[in-house]
Amino acid sequence: MTIQDLKSQNLILFEAISGSRSFGLNTPTSDTDIKGVYYLPKDKFFGLDYIPQVANETNDEVYYEIGRFVELLIKNNPNILEILASPEDCILYQHPLMKKLRIEDFLSKLCKDSFAGYAVTQIKKARGLNKKIVNPLPKEKKSLLDFCYVLEDYKTVSVLEFLAANNFKQEQIGLVDLPNSKGMFAMFYDPEKSLGYKGIIQKETSNEVSLSSIPKNEKWIGYLSFNQDGYSKYCKEYTEYWSWIEKRNEDRYNTNQQHGKNYDSKNMMHTIRLLQTAEQILSTGKLNIRVPNREELLDIKAGNRAYDDLLEMADNLIASIESHYQTSTLPERPDEAKAIQTLIKIREELYS
C-alpha cells in the first residue's frame, strides 16, 4: 500500500506538516515533512493484511494506521504526541472522528522517560559523533598483530618490533596456550619451515591467534600477550566509523566542520528542544510544540554554542525535569482502557 493508495481510496484521517515547520524552526532550506493517520479498508483490517505504517522512499512522509497511532499515543511516543498536538496552521486535513483523540487524554508522567530519555540517547549519540570527528580512524585497518606484544624483562614490545629486530617471520612462529593465563602464549620459532607451525595469524583478517602443535624439546623464544578485548573494541569502532563516513549527511557534516565545534549541531538543537518540551509537559500539563525560543535553538543549530556548554544546559534541564516530575499533577500513565474504547468507537463508525 502506498500513500497514493491512501489518498485515492479516501483513507486519510489526519494530515499535517511536521518537523521544523511545525516547531517554528524552519529556515529557507528546510524540507517539508508530512505526518498523518489513516485507516485500512475493511477487508485488510479484518483479514491478514494489516499494515501499521506507510511511508514514501525518503521517509519524509509517514502515515500511521489509527490503531498503531493510538498504541504509540498510550506509550507517550514523542513523535506521535507532537503529531496530535500539531498547530492549527500546520493541519492539512482532519477527519471529524480524529477530534475524539484529545492530547490531554494522553499526556502523562511517562513523558519524562519518552521525551527526556530519548534526548539522553541523542546526547550519547552526539558524544559518539564528537569522538568520530575529533578522532578520525585511518582507512587502512590495523591487523591483529598490532595488538600483540612480547615480554622483554620488565616491559613489553610490539610483536612487529620483536619480529623485525630478530629478523623473524610471523608465519614461522608457533604458539601454545599458557594455562590459567588469559591471552598469554609461549612462542617457538621454526627457521627451516619444517615443523608445520601455523604462525601467529594465518590471514590478515584473522580475529584470533593461531595455535600450533610443538614437538617435544623445542626451545621457546619468548612469551606473547594478545590484547583481544582491545582488538575487538578497535574493530567495532573501525566498523562504526567507516559506516558513519559512508552514510553521513554531507551537508550537515560540512556545516559541523565549518562551525568547528566538533558536534552535530542540528542533533544537539533537537536534543535541547526535546528536553525543554519534557520540562513544559511536566510543569504545565500541556504540550505546545511551537517553540517560544526559536532564536536560541537556531543559534545552537548554527554551532554558536560550545559543546560543553550545551551538555551543561542539558544536565540542568534534566535536573529541572526530575524536579517537576515529583510535583506534576499528570497521571502516571494514560488511561489505556479509555483510549481503547475511543479507538473502538472510531473504528465502529468507520466500518459501519
Side-chain angles (χ1 to χ4, degrees), residues 120 123 127 272 275 308-321:
V120 169
I123 291 171
R127 283 180 169 138
I272 297 300
L275 290 171
D308 289 340
D309 291 344
L310 290 177
L311 293 184
E312 182 180 357
M313 186 178 184
D315 287 340
N316 291 337
L317 281 166
I318 291 169
S320 176
I321 289 165

Side-chain angles (χ1 to χ4, degrees), residues 1 8 17 48 60 63 109 174 215 239 265 304 335 344 348:
M1 180 169 277
S8 65
I17 297 170
L48 296 176
D60 53 12
Y63 293 76
K109 287 187 173 183
T239 301
S265 53
N304 295 330
D335 187 334
I344 290 172
E348 285 176 341

Side-chain angles (χ1 to χ4, degrees), residues 239-254:
T239 301
E240 289 176 350
Y241 177 78
W242 284 101
S243 176
W244 168 71
I245 289 290
E246 181 181 344
K247 298 174 183 177
R248 72 189 178 193
N249 181 310
E250 287 301 319
D251 289 338
R252 279 173 69 172
Y253 176 72
N254 290 333

Side-chain angles (χ1 to χ4, degrees), residues 160-338:
L160 296 172
E161 293 179 22
F162 173 82
L163 294 173
N166 292 280
N167 200 26
F168 289 160
K169 295 187 179 299
Q170 77 88 11
E171 296 85 353
Q172 292 165 244
I173 296 281
L175 297 180
V176 292
D177 264 322
L178 287 181
N180 305 314
S181 183
K182 181 183 176 182
M184 292 294 299
F185 306 87
M187 292 191 301
F188 298 81
Y189 195 68
D190 176 15
E192 305 299 329
K193 302 183 183 179
S194 60
L195 300 176
Y197 291 171
K198 296 181 180 179
I200 300 174
I201 56 173
Q202 292 186 303
K203 299 177 182 177
E204 277 296 313
T205 55
S206 295
N207 291 319
E208 295 181 351
V209 296
S210 300
L211 299 180
S212 299
S213 178
I214 309 297
K216 287 185 178 181
N217 301 320
E218 283 297 307
K219 174 75 173 169
W220 59 270
I221 60 169
Y223 296 108
L224 178 137
S225 168
F226 169 40
N227 181 5
Q228 187 164 21
D229 290 342
Y231 180 62
S232 297
K233 180 182 178 184
Y234 165 76
C235 288
K236 180 182 178 184
E237 290 178 349
Y238 178 90
T239 301
E240 289 176 350
Y241 177 78
W242 284 101
S243 176
W244 168 71
I245 289 290
E246 181 181 344
K247 298 174 183 177
R248 72 189 178 193
N249 181 310
E250 287 301 319
D251 289 338
R252 279 173 69 172
Y253 176 72
N254 290 333
T255 297
N256 297 333
Q257 290 294 85
Q258 287 167 13
H259 64 57
K261 294 295 195 306
N262 295 326
Y263 63 81
D264 186 333
S265 53
K266 185 175 181 180
N267 175 278
M268 286 302 292
M269 176 192 71
H270 284 302
T271 297
I272 297 300
R273 183 191 64 79
L274 277 169
L275 290 171
Q276 290 173 340
T277 303
E279 183 183 45
Q280 174 203 146
I281 293 170
L282 291 167
S283 62
T284 69
K286 298 178 182 179
L287 173 57
N288 178 10
I289 68 170
R290 187 65 54 79
V291 301
N293 57 331
R294 169 183 163 88
E295 296 308 319
E296 177 187 50
L297 290 170
L298 289 181
D299 197 48
I300 294 172
K301 181 182 177 182
N304 295 330
R305 305 294 181 93
Y307 181 65
D308 289 340
D309 291 344
L310 290 177
L311 293 184
E312 182 180 357
M313 186 178 184
D315 287 340
N316 291 337
L317 281 166
I318 291 169
S320 176
I321 289 165
E322 290 289 350
S323 176
H324 286 300
Y325 178 83
Q326 301 301 322
T327 58
S328 174
T329 58
L330 287 172
E332 292 295 325
R333 56 187 62 249
D335 187 334
E336 184 171 343
K338 179 180 178 181

Side-chain angles (χ1 to χ4, degrees), residues 17-40:
I17 297 170
S18 66
S20 61
R21 296 185 186 279
S22 64
F23 302 139
L25 292 170
N26 55 299
T27 61
T29 60
S30 294
D31 296 328
T32 299
D33 296 328
I34 304 292
K35 296 291 188 293
V37 182
Y38 66 92
Y39 72 103
L40 287 168

Side-chain angles (χ1 to χ4, degrees), residues 65-94:
E65 200 279 328
I66 182 69
R68 178 61 173 160
F69 187 71
V70 171
E71 178 188 3
L72 293 173
L73 282 174
I74 292 170
K75 294 178 179 178
N76 279 189
N77 179 285
N79 291 330
I80 303 303
L81 284 174
E82 288 171 348
I83 293 172
L84 191 59
S86 296
E88 287 293 329
D89 60 355
C90 288
I91 296 175
L92 303 175
Y93 172 73
Q94 183 175 30

